[in-house]
Amino acid sequence: MMDIYLPLKRPSWLVDNKRMRTTSDFQWLLSTFVLLYLMNHVNSQRKETPYDLKCTTNNLQKWDCSWKAPSGASRGTLYEFCIDDRSHSCYHLARTNIEIPALSPGDHEITISLQDAGSSTSKFILNEKNISLIPDTPEILNLSADFSTSTLHVKWNDKGSVFPRHSNVIWEIKILWKKSMELVKLVTHNTTLNGKDTVHHWSWVSDLPLECAIHYVGIRCYVDNLLFSGHKEWSDWSPLKNISWTPDSQPKVFPQDKVILVGSNITFCCVSQEKVLSAQIGSTYCPLIHLDGENVAIKVHNISVSENSGTNVVFMIEDNVCGTVVFAGYPPDTPKKLNCETHDLKEIICSWDPGRSTGLVGPRNTSYKLFEGFSGKYVRFKKVDVSANESYHQLLLQMVPNQEIYNFTLYARNPLGRSESTILVNITEKVYPYTPTSLKVKDINSTAVILSWHLPGSFGKINLLCQIEINKINSVQESRNVTIKGVENSSYRIAVGKLNPYTVYTFRICCSTETFWKWSKWSNKKQHLTTEAIPSNGPDTWREWSSDGKNLIIYWKPLPISEANGKILSYNVSCSSDEETQSLSEILDPQHKAEIQLNKNDYIISVVAKNSVGASPPSKIASMEIPHDDVKTEQAVGMGKGILLTWHHNPNMTCDYVIKWCNSSRSEPCLMDWRKVPSNSTEALIESDQFRPGVRYKFFLYGCRNQGYQLLRSIIGYIKELAPTVAPNFTVEDTSADSILVKWEDIPVEELRGFLRGYLFYFEKGERDTSKMRGLESGRSDIKVKNITDISQKTLRIADLQGKTSYHLVLQAYTDGGLGPEKSMFVVTKENSVGLIIAILIPVAVAVIVGVVTSILCYRKREWIKETFYPDIPNPENCKALQFQKSVCEGSGALKTLEMNPCTPNNVEVLETRSTFPKIEDTEIISPVAECPEDSSDAEPENHVVVSYCPPIIEEEIPNPGGDEAGGTSQVIYIDVQSMYQPQARPEEEQEKDPVGGAGYKPQMHLPINSTVEDIAAEGDLDKTAGYRPQANVNTWHLVSPDSPRSTDSNSEIVSFGSPCSINSRQFLIPPKDEDSPQSSGGGWSFTNFFQNKPND
Amino acid sequence: MDLRAGDSWGMLACLCTVLWHLPAVPALNRTGDPGPGPSIQKTYDLTRYLEHQLRSLAGTYLNYLGPPFNEPDFNPPRLGADTLPRATVNLEVWRSLNDKLRLTQNYEAYSHLLCYLRGLNRQAATAELRHSLAHFCTSLQGLLGSIAGVMATLGYPLPQPLPGTEPTWTPGPAHSDFLQKMDDFWLLKELQTWLWRSAKDFNRLKKKMQPPAAAVTLHLEAHGF
């Protein structure tokens, strides 16, 4: 509200509040008090004069001023209202308000006085700045609703005519909903006032369908006049207008069947008289928003694309259900790859890719309209069906006569939007002809045909480019492009030349236009056989004289298809010389040989091939053969499938070369085949399917000179050499005591299968029964090999053999293809008697001579020998100085030191000799069997060996105290100690035994050792438990031979390994490994195995 | 029955006797007109076949309608589908119906249902669905023909449709998509109920029309095997 300063507010009264505020708090409080007092005083004063003058305006032209009457004034009091301006106008009136024309800017003094009492006058200063501009309350002329689109339309009048000046107006519209009048929307709407009454429209689309709740609309305005310096205020709100929907008895859901954009938000509501229990969109339940009454709404955010039949929104009501279907999709995509072409220049086909699926089908599917800009023609496309596989759409449009340029625009439209695509085409450049049909071929001659076909379309104004594909069997495919003038009647024909006669061709055709756009599809294939022509060449001819030389045999080869030009029916052969002519006619086709009896004259033979059209040019050959120099037969070996023949260039040979060949083993005339080679070549690779490896062929090279042929070279050869199939047949021609003469025969050519390169001869000593010759190639040293590379050699003498010895002889032939089979023979050399005699006589003679010489020498030197070897020895008994006590000497039997008694020797010679007796006699071990035969043979260098051992006699009766050992264990005892101990003895027992017996071997023989009887007895129990009884006490051995391998220092295995002479043990001691390595414990393993296996046996 | 080797002659004689008497058996003697029995049986079989076919079609179609129509516990009240012939009937009422009335009701119901079904076919959006519906329509047309055949055999006249009451498919804006879906749902449901009812009807009729074929058996028994 705008305050108007009272006229009584004298300047002295005015207190500058600001200044007051700047003073101290106390001063401020004091001032406030004073002010309040003064105000009260004024109030009491003004009650007596008009006060509170207020002025407003609603149109800027008139000001409404009103004031309050003094307290004493009655109802009918007259007032004088004077404006102190130039005219000084005064108004007399009986009310307290007045409408005055708008005053000019600036202060104006207003005097209001009561006419009854002249004293009570009030003066006011009025300025435009103190005036409030409050527009009139607007009024809604019309409020309507479009329920289908949930749109509210508001219509009102701006009453602009009352405002003198151009002003901006701000309208504020509020929308309230539900009976509780909740504010939904408050919007401002700007307009301008143009001095006329204008009706304004404003529309608003509600999120909530309008059917669901009552909607109220109110409006107010604010005039924003820039020239008005006073206070501007909003008008009052207009009276509210509302929109509501009259519900049916049936519940209903809104909006119905709406199409919306995917991802948008939408509110559904259900108008129902009954309570709604739940709501769901698709299969998703949504929270309910309660509206007036039982009406509810749900909000769906970011809706996803619908299925074909739409997305169902269902509200469940007690005993009822209601719902709607919403279709969420996309606006049509811009049609892509729009392309227009024609097949026949009659109809245009435009096709396009619709792009992204809209998700809308049926009546909501995208509809297309193809519009042609120049002619204004259009066609529509509406696809109702949903078929996923049809990704391209197309439309047909009839061509406009004489129009070549077309400007097509394709409009796409669906409920959510529209799009378009444009293309400008020259249709004559976009011809994609139909597939040519009815392809026909007609002969012109044997090398040309006419192709005709049907190609629908009115191509009268353009040229067609067609491609003819010509296929010949076993030949490269050929393509020919032809340009033909287009026609209106669709029939085309063209000549195709340069064909071969009597050949099967397959034709097919495709067409395009000269301004190429696309080839049509290929037409169906058409096969055609061209007609025959006369054979282009005569057959390749050769001749041979028969073996008796009377007949000439003429050979010719069938013509190749390319030269025959048809089916060869027959041949004519004629031989003409200066004198006569012989001819053979009508030799039917499969025969390619003719024989004519001729005198040895020089004939020219001509052969002509005939087909249904005619005869070929004759091919001629002279019967005469030019004599040749001696031609050596050479050898050649082929490579792979053929054989390469080379020769030097011969300038005399003016025509061509002929190589003929045959199997060497065939009889004359020898001819398998021949081949002509141009005269300038010097080599030819002869290949034939008839060639077989290992077969010898003869090749003859003829040179042609003056139509006569001369043999230049003769070659034998193989395509590939193989090893001979048979061995050479050989015999022994002669045998002596130290040599054998062997002779062999040639191998037949058929069985040789290659050029013979030599023979291999093996020999060795051997009887027929032995089969030592098996490994001939293994390089055995006793086999002697002779490689005979001179193939003309047919005999071989083997010398330096032993007499009366059987020899094994083997002979095999070889070629470059390999070694042939071998043939063997046994031969015994003759006895050499002279040698034997000499061998006996010479040693005998030598022995006799040596004996005689020795005897003579001995006789001559007998005195020296006697003194040297047998001197006279004095008898010691005769020497008294050497008196030995006999008992002592006898008792020991060993050497005794000479006692140095005073004895005067008289030519005494003392000889000291080694005792040959073993020391055994020093020991007190006396074996019942002093020597055992085995030991004597295996006598060890040390004499003390005697100690050990004696063969077991019979020890089987030794009880088996363990009882738990296998039956064979008792035998083991005698066998091999090493073997036995390890597997048989229990480990614990062995441990116990080791310190006692030192393990090792214990002979089975019980030795009566007196000195250790007690020890043995003490050990008896132990032995019994071990199941083994040692035959001797180790201590005794120790005593006997402290440095023997059986000493206690040695480990048990070494000790036990002593070679027993037990017969039973032999078999286990035989293995050389054990002999070589006494430490090996392998015997134990094998033993265990043996025993373990025994039950199984 | 214990047959011994000695009985073979007796069996042969008996067989000859039976063959001799066969022309006299009335049930086998009907060579020209087999009566309504086979056609009722055929109609019954066709009903069962259609039931089977409908199961598959309904599955596809309800999936096409989308949730909640394809949810097994969705059981909405019958809205708007008032023109559909109702198959549900009080048991007492059903029992009191005579054969003619029964067949007439069946015939009328399927005539209507077929008409609606064809409408359904016209508005289906996918080709495969249309194909399934067309196939089913053909089968239903066959059933209608079968029922007409049975009625003709039994000498009942076919119900004449009253002029102007021919059920027509009226797709229009008045019918919202949702109500249309509800109608489709109810159409399938009624169709299923009608097929159940028809199977029951034809089974009853079949039993009733069964010829006294037991005579042959009894005849053989009498010869004292």
Side-chain angles (χ1 to χ4, degrees):
Chain A
M1 287 294 283
M2 191 171 69
D3 284 331
I4 295 181
Y5 290 105
L6 290 170
L8 291 177
K9 284 181 185 169
R10 303 275 188 265
S12 59
W13 286 61
L14 294 171
V15 176
D16 190 352
N17 286 339
K18 277 187 185 173
R19 201 192 305 161
M20 282 183 71
R21 279 191 206 107
T22 57
T23 59
S24 65
D25 289 347
F26 175 76
Q27 283 175 318
W28 185 81
L29 277 171
L30 187 65
S31 305
T32 310
F33 178 75
V34 170
L35 188 67
L36 283 171
Y37 171 77
L38 288 174
M39 290 292 283
N40 192 31
H41 181 74
V42 167
N43 281 340
S44 62
Q45 280 268 322
R46 73 183 179 197
K47 297 271 173 67
E48 292 158 15
T49 58
Y51 63 98
D52 262 359
L53 175 70
K54 289 176 183 172
C55 293
T56 62
T57 178
N58 58 10
N59 54 14
L60 300 174
Q61 295 186 55
K62 295 265 172 72
W63 293 3
D64 279 325
C65 294
S66 63
W67 59 93
K68 296 221 169 114
S71 54
S74 60
R75 203 165 177 183
T77 308
L78 284 173
Y79 296 94
E80 187 187 49
F81 185 91
C82 292
I83 305 165
D84 187 22
D85 57 358
R86 262 185 306 182
S87 57
H88 192 78
S89 50
C90 285
Y91 304 91
H92 298 274
L93 38 123
R95 53 184 198 276
T96 57
N97 64 329
I98 186 170
E99 191 177 73
I100 56 168
L103 299 176
S104 56
D107 287 346
H108 300 273
E109 194 179 86
I110 305 292
T111 310
I112 304 171
S113 54
L114 276 79
Q115 288 193 341
D116 300 346
S119 58
S120 60
T121 299
S122 297
K123 283 189 177 173
F124 303 92
I125 300 299
L126 196 61
N127 193 322
E128 194 185 62
K129 287 177 184 170
N130 302 331
I131 305 296
S132 292
L133 172 60
I134 304 170
D136 282 340
T137 304
E139 192 185 353
I140 295 170
L141 292 178
N142 185 23
L143 174 67
S144 61
D146 182 358
F147 287 102
S148 62
T149 57
S150 300
T151 310
L152 283 175
H153 300 286
V154 187
K155 207 194 278 183
W156 71 97
N157 195 328
D158 65 357
K159 294 176 185 165
S161 58
V162 297
F163 282 90
R165 297 193 290 256
H166 223 82
S167 306
N168 294 326
V169 190
I170 303 167
W171 304 92
E172 196 168 56
I173 304 162
K174 65 177 178 183
I175 293 157
L176 315 170
W177 71 334
K178 303 209 285 193
K179 286 172 182 161
S180 54
M181 290 198 186
E182 291 171 27
L183 182 70
V184 185
K185 190 83 184 173
L186 186 69
V187 286
T188 54
H189 179 71
N190 294 326
T191 62
T192 52
L193 301 176
N194 53 6
K196 286 186 283 185
D197 284 357
T198 311
V199 176
H200 293 279
H201 298 269
W202 180 78
S203 296
W204 175 71
V205 180
S206 170
D207 288 340
L208 183 81
L210 299 176
E211 295 92 339
C212 302
I214 185 165
H215 283 74
Y216 299 94
V217 181
I219 189 168
R220 63 175 182 173
C221 63
Y222 177 91
V223 177
D224 184 21
N225 192 309
L226 297 172
L227 298 174
F228 178 68
S229 58
H231 193 72
K232 298 162 203 164
E233 289 183 43
W234 282 99
S235 74
D236 288 336
W237 284 105
S238 72
L240 292 176
K241 287 214 167 192
N242 69 62
I243 282 287
S244 65
W245 186 73
T246 319
D248 297 341
S249 57
Q250 280 294 320
K252 266 201 160 175
V253 176
F254 300 98
Q256 288 280 322
D257 311 334
K258 190 165 178 152
V259 184
I260 59 163
L261 185 69
V262 171
S264 50
N265 303 332
I266 184 170
T267 307
F268 298 96
C269 69
C270 175
V271 179
S272 169
Q273 310 291 331
E274 295 166 83
K275 186 174 169 58
V276 178
L277 303 175
S278 65
Q280 67 183 104
I281 176 162
S283 45
T284 312
Y285 284 85
C286 302
L288 297 176
I289 301 163
H290 288 278
L291 307 172
D292 289 331
E294 298 296 344
N295 295 1
V296 291
I298 56 168
K299 272 199 162 186
V300 179
H301 299 280
N302 193 11
I303 194 163
S304 52
V305 69
S306 298
E307 294 297 318
N308 287 336
S309 72
T311 307
N312 303 317
V313 180
V314 180
F315 289 82
M316 297 292 178
I317 307 168
E318 281 176 7
D319 306 328
N320 206 346
V321 65
C322 62
T324 185
V325 182
V326 64
F327 301 90
Y330 296 97
D333 205 354
T334 308
K336 294 180 174 66
K337 301 175 191 167
L338 175 63
N339 178 41
C340 294
E341 61 188 20
T342 179
H343 290 308
D344 49 10
L345 284 177
K346 288 177 182 170
E347 204 173 45
I348 299 169
I349 299 168
C350 291
S351 60
W352 67 92
D353 177 4
R356 179 189 59 188
S357 163
T358 60
L360 302 174
V361 296
R364 287 160 288 273
N365 200 355
T366 309
S367 63
Y368 291 94
K369 177 178 156 183
L370 182 68
F371 178 76
E372 205 286 299
F374 298 124
S375 63
K377 286 171 84 175
Y378 66 88
V379 274
R380 288 185 188 281
F381 175 91
K382 179 80 181 174
K383 194 159 137 274
V384 181
D385 207 355
V386 185
S387 44
N389 53 2
E390 197 185 315
S391 58
Y392 265 80
H393 296 170
Q394 62 178 33
L395 269 175
L396 297 178
L397 192 81
Q398 291 300 318
M399 268 180 63
V400 181
N402 300 322
Q403 184 180 345
E404 287 184 0
I405 310 292
Y406 289 81
N407 183 13
F408 288 108
T409 307
L410 180 72
Y411 298 99
R413 180 178 184 172
N414 79 355
L416 290 174
R418 56 182 69 199
S419 64
E420 62 180 65
S421 212
T422 307
I423 186 174
L424 186 74
V425 292
N426 180 348
I427 204 66
T428 56
E429 292 172 359
K430 299 266 182 159
V431 182
Y432 172 37
Y434 284 117
T435 309
T437 53
S438 314
L439 181 65
K440 285 174 190 151
V441 189
K442 209 173 153 187
D443 285 311
I444 299 173
N445 54 40
S446 61
T447 58
V449 293
I450 285 179
L451 290 185
S452 64
W453 67 93
H454 185 82
L455 183 66
S458 55
F459 302 119
K461 289 175 184 165
I462 58 168
N463 287 336
L464 293 179
L465 176 70
C466 290
Q467 198 172 37
I468 303 163
E469 190 185 278
I470 303 166
N471 257 314
K472 195 163 76 175
I473 293 165
N474 299 329
S475 178
V476 182
Q477 173 184 304
E478 186 191 344
S479 278
R480 296 186 194 173
N481 283 349
V482 287
T483 305
I484 347 168
K485 180 92 184 68
V487 293
E488 293 289 333
N489 66 3
S490 311
S491 290
Y492 296 88
R493 47 190 282 136
I494 192 168
V496 179
K498 293 181 193 164
L499 303 176
N500 294 330
Y502 197 62
T503 307
V504 176
Y505 285 98
T506 308
F507 300 96
R508 62 173 186 167
I509 193 162
C510 68
C511 290
S512 171
T513 53
E514 214 168 26
T515 54
F516 178 79
W517 167 240
K518 280 178 186 175
W519 284 113
S520 72
K521 286 178 184 153
W522 284 104
S523 69
N524 288 335
K525 288 180 178 175
K526 186 78 183 172
Q527 210 172 51
H528 184 74
L529 174 67
T530 48
T531 53
E532 292 189 13
I534 56 167
S536 53
N537 280 318
D540 187 3
T541 313
W542 188 244
R543 80 282 176 277
E544 288 284 318
W545 285 96
S546 63
S547 50
D548 57 4
K550 289 179 180 172
N551 292 346
L552 187 70
I553 307 166
I554 300 135
Y555 301 90
W556 61 92
K557 290 182 185 174
L559 281 171
I561 296 166
S562 59
E563 293 177 359
N565 289 347
K567 185 172 165 48
I568 298 298
L569 303 172
S570 62
Y571 299 93
N572 285 354
V573 180
S574 65
C575 302
S576 57
S577 66
D578 297 339
E579 295 122 36
E580 58 164 347
T581 300
Q582 285 189 44
S583 59
L584 296 169
S585 55
E586 299 298 317
I587 300 168
L588 295 179
D589 175 54
Q591 193 181 335
H592 299 113
K593 179 179 157 186
E595 195 166 345
I596 300 181
Q597 195 175 5
L598 292 175
N599 305 322
K600 274 281 184 181
N601 277 334
D602 189 6
Y603 285 91
I604 296 293
I605 299 134
S606 73
V607 182
V608 167
K610 288 166 77 179
N611 63 13
S612 64
V613 180
S616 70
S619 69
K620 294 183 176 177
I621 188 167
S623 68
M624 187 189 73
E625 199 151 305
I626 301 167
H628 55 81
D629 306 334
D630 266 353
V631 173
K632 279 186 185 173
T633 302
E634 301 156 52
Q635 288 188 352
V637 177
M639 40 187 194
K641 285 161 69 181
I643 188 161
L644 183 70
L645 302 181
T646 56
W647 58 89
H648 294 293
H649 179 67
N650 190 339
N652 296 332
M653 297 306 149
T654 49
C655 358
D656 47 8
Y657 291 99
V658 170
I659 300 155
K660 74 157 193 176
W661 62 90
C662 65
N663 190 328
S664 72
S665 58
R666 295 275 170 82
S667 59
E668 293 289 324
C670 166
L671 181 68
M672 254 172 80
D673 202 352
W674 72 94
R675 191 175 144 192
K676 286 186 176 161
V677 185
S679 58
N680 56 358
S681 39
T682 57
E683 62 170 32
L685 179 66
I686 308 298
E687 282 181 319
S688 171
D689 293 337
Q690 294 170 319
F691 286 148
R692 298 280 175 271
V695 176
R696 182 177 291 184
Y697 296 100
K698 283 185 191 169
F699 297 88
F700 300 96
L701 175 70
Y702 291 91
C704 173
R705 192 170 62 184
N706 303 327
Q707 299 303 318
Y709 285 94
Q710 181 182 27
L711 181 65
L712 300 177
R713 284 175 72 185
S714 168
I715 298 151
I716 55 168
Y718 291 88
I719 294 306
K720 188 185 175 190
E721 286 184 276
L722 298 177
T725 52
V726 295
N729 200 6
F730 80 102
T731 52
V732 175
E733 287 288 296
D734 182 34
T735 311
S736 67
D738 63 346
S739 70
I740 299 168
L741 179 66
V742 179
K743 187 181 179 188
W744 59 87
E745 297 165 6
D746 281 334
I747 300 173
V749 168
E750 290 82 19
E751 288 158 334
L752 201 54
R753 305 204 297 168
F755 294 115
L756 182 68
R757 299 296 176 204
Y759 299 94
L760 280 180
F761 191 87
Y762 307 85
F763 64 98
E764 60 157 351
K765 285 182 196 170
E767 298 292 332
R768 183 176 294 276
D769 298 336
T770 57
S771 52
K772 283 182 181 174
M773 293 304 285
R774 269 180 204 155
L776 279 177
E777 284 82 26
S778 60
R780 282 166 47 190
S781 59
D782 53 342
I783 299 174
K784 288 174 181 154
V785 186
K786 279 186 188 292
N787 186 1
I788 302 147
T789 53
D790 178 10
I791 56 168
S792 60
Q793 187 180 337
K794 293 287 181 275
T795 56
L796 178 69
R797 177 171 292 280
I798 314 158
D800 299 334
L801 301 179
Q802 291 180 357
K804 210 180 179 187
T805 309
S806 173
Y807 280 94
H808 183 197
L809 312 177
V810 176
L811 183 66
Q812 52 185 158
Y814 64 90
T815 66
D816 282 343
L819 283 167
E822 57 191 44
K823 177 145 187 175
S824 68
M825 186 183 279
F826 290 88
V827 179
V828 180
T829 49
K830 287 179 181 167
E831 200 171 349
N832 188 349
S833 52
V834 178
L836 189 67
I837 292 164
I838 291 168
I840 295 166
L841 285 180
I842 289 171
V844 169
V846 169
V848 168
I849 291 164
V850 169
V852 169
V853 169
T854 310
S855 304
I856 293 166
L857 281 175
C858 288
Y859 180 73
R860 287 261 189 98
K861 298 281 182 182
R862 63 186 179 275
E863 287 301 316
W864 177 80
I865 291 168
K866 187 175 178 295
E867 283 189 12
T868 305
F869 294 104
Y870 195 67
D872 289 336
I873 301 166
N875 189 357
E877 287 179 6
N878 300 334
C879 179
K880 289 188 178 151
L882 295 168
Q883 287 294 320
F884 294 102
Q885 285 182 355
K886 194 176 184 180
S887 62
V888 176
C889 290
E890 286 172 0
S892 69
L895 297 176
K896 287 285 186 179
T897 321
L898 181 66
E899 244 176 78
M900 296 301 290
N901 292 331
C903 170
T904 309
N906 182 17
N907 195 17
V908 174
E909 196 170 343
V910 180
L911 292 173
E912 199 170 23
T913 57
R914 269 180 78 93
S915 167
T916 55
F917 277 100
K919 288 180 182 176
I920 189 167
E921 287 179 359
D922 289 346
T923 68
E924 288 177 357
I925 303 166
I926 299 160
S927 167
V929 182
E931 288 175 276
C932 52
E934 286 91 347
D935 273 358
S936 63
S937 64
D938 292 329
E940 294 178 23
E942 295 122 320
N943 293 330
H944 60 256
V945 158
V946 177
V947 163
S948 46
Y949 199 69
C950 275
I953 313 298
I954 293 168
E955 288 288 330
E956 277 89 348
E957 54 270 69
I958 292 167
N960 218 355
D964 55 346
E965 292 176 40
T969 319
S970 60
Q971 293 176 355
V972 176
I973 293 166
Y974 334 129
I975 299 170
D976 180 4
V977 179
Q978 184 197 16
S979 318
M980 184 205 71
Y981 258 104
Q982 289 175 357
Q984 288 300 319
R986 293 176 190 164
E988 313 87 55
E989 290 170 350
E990 192 177 315
Q991 294 286 332
E992 288 167 12
K993 274 184 182 178
D994 278 344
V996 179
Y1001 177 71
K1002 290 162 188 156
Q1004 290 86 350
M1005 178 60 76
H1006 183 80
L1007 302 176
I1009 301 163
N1010 300 332
S1011 61
T1012 54
V1013 168
E1014 289 87 0
D1015 292 342
I1016 293 167
E1019 290 168 10
D1021 293 336
L1022 260 172
D1023 293 341
K1024 277 179 185 175
T1025 52
Y1028 172 72
R1029 183 184 307 169
Q1031 288 81 3
N1033 193 306
V1034 180
N1035 292 336
T1036 58
W1037 305 339
H1038 186 97
L1039 205 122
V1040 170
S1041 54
D1043 56 344
S1044 80
R1046 294 172 187 84
S1047 69
T1048 48
D1049 297 338
S1050 308
N1051 64 48
S1052 61
E1053 285 185 356
I1054 293 170
V1055 170
S1056 65
F1057 182 69
S1059 171
C1061 56
S1062 159
I1063 296 155
N1064 288 354
S1065 69
R1066 270 277 146 153
Q1067 54 182 312
F1068 295 103
L1069 298 174
I1070 280 172
K1073 196 178 177 187
D1074 284 356
E1075 289 169 12
D1076 295 336
S1077 56
Q1079 290 90 345
S1080 169
S1081 58
W1085 178 84
S1086 62
F1087 180 76
T1088 318
N1089 282 351
F1090 173 75
F1091 260 78
Q1092 283 172 347
N1093 293 336
K1094 203 168 182 184
N1096 294 336
D1097 297 334
Chain B
M1 196 178 287
D2 189 17
L3 294 174
R4 287 182 300 277
D7 290 338
S8 54
W9 281 112
M11 277 179 68
L12 191 64
C14 183
L15 201 64
C16 292
T17 320
V18 169
L19 287 171
W20 181 256
H21 281 88
L22 268 181
V25 176
L28 298 172
N29 210 10
R30 291 185 186 175
T31 49
D33 179 20
S39 62
I40 293 171
Q41 179 64 45
K42 259 189 219 167
T43 315
Y44 172 77
D45 291 343
L46 188 55
T47 315
R48 300 310 301 265
Y49 169 67
L50 274 169
E51 262 185 72
H52 163 78
Q53 213 181 334
L54 181 65
R55 261 199 292 280
S56 141
L57 173 71
T60 315
Y61 199 85
L62 293 181
N63 276 335
Y64 163 72
L65 294 183
F69 293 99
N70 57 356
E71 287 167 4
D73 53 349
F74 182 66
N75 189 22
R78 193 170 150 135
L79 288 180
D82 296 327
T83 49
L84 283 175
R86 280 179 189 274
T88 43
V89 67
N90 191 298
L91 187 63
E92 294 301 320
V93 176
W94 181 74
R95 276 189 186 142
S96 67
L97 294 173
N98 59 26
D99 294 340
K100 184 185 170 188
L101 214 52
R102 241 184 255 281
L103 286 168
T104 307
Q105 283 189 358
N106 268 289
Y107 185 85
E108 282 175 345
Y110 287 120
S111 306
H112 281 73
L113 289 169
L114 182 63
C115 185
Y116 289 122
L117 212 54
R118 283 180 176 147
L120 205 67
N121 190 10
R122 249 168 268 146
Q123 52 137 23
T126 63
E128 53 200 309
L129 203 58
R130 278 210 298 277
H131 183 258
S132 303
L133 280 164
H135 182 58
F136 188 80
C137 283
T138 315
S139 302
L140 201 63
Q141 181 74 58
L143 178 65
L144 209 58
S146 280
I147 297 170
V150 172
M151 289 176 79
T153 317
L154 295 173
Y156 304 142
L158 280 182
Q160 292 299 317
L162 291 171
T165 58
E166 187 75 15
T168 49
W169 185 255
T170 52
H175 227 52
S176 77
D177 278 295
F178 184 76
L179 287 178
Q180 188 59 57
K181 283 187 174 187
M182 288 286 271
D183 286 357
D184 296 351
F185 179 85
W186 271 101
L187 173 61
L188 294 172
K189 198 162 177 169
E190 282 298 348
L191 204 53
Q192 192 177 43
T193 324
W194 266 110
L195 287 170
W196 285 343
R197 180 173 162 179
S198 299
K200 218 167 155 63
D201 285 346
F202 291 121
N203 198 31
R204 192 185 166 96
L205 199 63
K206 191 173 70 178
K207 281 181 185 164
K208 204 171 166 184
M209 294 292 164
Q210 213 158 34
V216 184
T217 330
L218 287 171
H219 192 68
L220 289 170
E221 290 281 342
H223 275 77
F225 263 91

